[in-house]
Amino acid sequence: MAEKTLLQLENVHTYYGNIHALHGISLHVDEGEIVTLIGSNGAGKSTTIRTISGIMHPREGTVHFDGQPIHTVDAHKLVGRGIAQSPEGRRIFPRLTVQDNLEMGAYLRRDRKHVHEDIDNVFTLFPRLKERRRQYAGTLSGGEQQMLAIGRALMARPRLLLLDEPSMGLAPVLVDTIFDTIKRINTENGTTILLVEQNALMALEVAKRGYVLQTGSVVLQDSAEALLKNEMVRKVYLGEE
């Protein structure tokens, strides 16, 4: 049976004012996949995520989610359609508790009786958050804040989870924990994931496919396994001589 395409970008051009940030990006993510975008700073990875999530709108090109055009739809409406984002820099609510942050992630949901069930599911994924459920989020460590940002996104019960630099600034042992959890979210929940990550090795180890971005364009796309063996990827993104 053919895999169903959940997300499709076609010839997307996005601008910051007069600055042309994305130059005709085309990519797709099939239902149930983990797909990663890799590239250096300024390559357009986060802009691609913002364009998908409705924070920015393309001047040209289309974005389709589950067969419907969404490139003119605002971000808050896309959450209701099944797209949730864990943003770069985490953006948790520092003066709210861990519990309150998670409940904020479910603010559009009508099935309130299942919200606390899903909070328990987040605590199963991230036991450290359960220990700190009454603690103000601003007092958490960087790793704990990243766990909270992912957990808050999961509270929307997304069909597509956008993860923007989840390992940024974390100690290596926490990076392993975060990526193990990303795999669990995909395999246990069946959640489709688009992962933006500078740690190309870790990203390609959890993803099925990947796209390499340079200065706002896709320069390479392949299976994660093939990209790990690609000479350019190994030299530029994996630090091999």
Side-chain angles (χ1 to χ4, degrees), residues 117-218:
E117 184 181 303
D118 285 348
I119 288 175
D120 288 338
N121 291 337
V122 170
F123 288 154
T124 300
L125 274 174
F126 299 113
R128 204 175 303 189
L129 293 182
K130 185 174 185 178
E131 297 168 13
R132 290 157 173 72
R133 66 190 302 166
R134 302 297 176 200
Q135 197 168 315
Y136 289 117
T139 66
L140 301 179
S141 70
E144 291 161 353
Q145 289 187 12
Q146 185 60 66
M147 294 172 191
L148 181 56
I150 295 172
R152 184 182 60 189
L154 288 174
M155 287 301 299
R157 286 195 173 178
R159 294 180 64 196
L160 174 65
L161 177 61
L162 306 174
L163 297 176
D164 195 352
E165 303 285 6
S167 78
M168 182 181 287
L170 301 187
V173 64
L174 283 174
V175 172
D176 290 340
T177 299
I178 292 294
F179 277 96
D180 285 344
T181 305
I182 290 169
K183 284 191 286 188
R184 283 184 62 191
I185 291 166
N186 176 250
T187 56
E188 294 176 14
N189 299 0
T191 307
T192 306
I193 297 173
L194 181 61
L195 168 65
V196 162
E197 181 54 59
Q198 276 199 287
N199 188 331
L201 179 61
M202 293 293 287
L204 290 170
E205 285 181 346
V206 300
K208 180 180 179 183
R209 295 186 299 109
Y211 293 84
V212 179
L213 271 60
Q214 289 181 358
T215 57
S217 300
V218 174

Side-chain angles (χ1 to χ4, degrees), residues 59-78:
R59 285 194 196 172
E60 296 177 48
T62 59
V63 182
H64 283 77
F65 177 68
D66 200 19
Q68 299 297 313
I70 61 168
H71 45 277
T72 61
V73 179
D74 291 332
H76 67 281
K77 293 181 180 177
L78 290 180

